[in-house]
Amino acid sequence: MTILDIRLIPDPVLRKKAEKVEGPSDEIITILDDMAETMYNAPGIGLAANQVGVLKRLIVIDCSTEEEEPNLLKMINPEIITSTNEKSELEEGCLSIPEHKSNVVRPSKVEVSYMNLNGETEKLTAEGLLSACLQHEIDHLNGILFIDHISRLKRDMIIRKVKKQLRENEK
Ligand code: GNR
Ligand code: NI
């Protein structure tokens, strides 16, 4: 198992669309294992392949709380098949946009289909944090970041601050 480097904005890989995967080959299983280790190490509750520089449609998620048992989801080619008109607002952060959080409005509930590690198609319906996290990760696979869902003023302020931080880290 390997902890991978997490790409930060403005890395162009975060703005690219990831490609569909054939199925759970050894290579894909290794990437998903490394993504899970990278997510837990960060720590974060989700990670999309773009964030580790891999343009494949792969995500890992574990939204369980500290009191609960771990609940690791590894998904190949996840797709939102239905979403509610009803919206919910939740504070989001992103490992690729360190130290910046913002409220994001998204559909409250989603139904997601994906391929599991056995190559079978599965469906999952989610609400609350898991719903927001699934939408956040599937956005990443399409080159979309949570800051794209907030006001331009807030977005530009976050981008400016992250770039300033990057410049200061180089000094
Ligand atoms: O760790 C994360 N927390 C989070 C909180 C609310 C909604 C989505 C997330 S995902 C984020 C990790 C990450 O950047 N995934 O892409
Ligand atoms: Ni993210």
Side-chain angles (χ1 to χ4, degrees):
M1 297 258 275
T2 312
I3 293 168
L4 306 167
D5 279 338
I6 297 178
R7 306 298 185 89
L8 308 181
I9 58 165
D11 191 317
V13 78
L14 296 171
R15 291 307 194 173
K16 299 220 166 100
K17 195 174 147 88
E19 298 276 341
K20 272 205 171 180
V21 170
E22 282 271 336
S25 63
D26 290 353
E27 182 206 0
I28 296 304
I29 289 169
T30 300
I31 297 171
L32 285 165
D33 283 347
D34 291 346
M35 284 173 61
E37 195 182 15
T38 304
M39 172 184 75
Y40 286 125
N41 176 256
I45 60 171
L47 193 71
N50 302 48
Q51 294 180 279
V52 294
V54 175
L55 288 173
K56 297 184 192 299
R57 301 189 80 79
L58 302 172
I59 65 174
V60 293
I61 291 185
D62 189 342
C63 288
S64 62
T65 61
E66 277 184 31
E67 300 88 70
E68 290 167 350
E69 295 296 314
N71 182 23
L72 177 59
L73 294 165
K74 292 175 173 169
M75 297 183 170
I76 299 170
N77 302 331
E79 251 182 280
I80 292 169
I81 48 180
T82 59
S83 52
T84 56
N85 289 325
E86 188 198 1
K87 306 284 194 278
S88 296
E89 188 169 5
L90 202 108
E91 188 177 64
E92 298 192 15
C94 181
L95 295 171
S96 297
I97 312 172
E99 286 160 45
H100 292 278
K101 289 185 176 171
S102 190
N103 279 357
V104 178
V105 177
R106 298 186 187 269
S108 302
K109 293 185 194 173
V110 289
E111 186 180 10
V112 171
S113 85
Y114 62 98
M115 193 191 284
N116 67 19
L117 294 178
N118 298 320
E120 301 151 352
T121 301
E122 286 201 58
K123 281 184 190 168
L124 175 68
T125 44
E127 56 188 322
L129 183 60
L130 180 59
S131 171
C133 193
L134 282 162
Q135 294 177 67
H136 177 119
E137 302 314 336
I138 294 170
D139 267 356
H140 272 300
L141 301 180
N142 295 321
I144 296 168
L145 301 172
F146 83 86
I147 51 173
D148 300 336
H149 297 290
I150 65 181
S151 74
R152 166 130 53 137
L153 188 70
K154 278 193 194 167
R155 174 168 62 250
D156 288 349
M157 194 162 65
I158 290 175
I159 293 171
R160 193 165 44 76
K161 284 183 181 164
V162 172
K163 285 184 177 170
K164 181 167 178 248
Q165 196 59 53
L166 284 174
R167 279 199 306 278
E168 275 164 16
N169 292 348
E170 277 169 19
K171 282 178 190 161

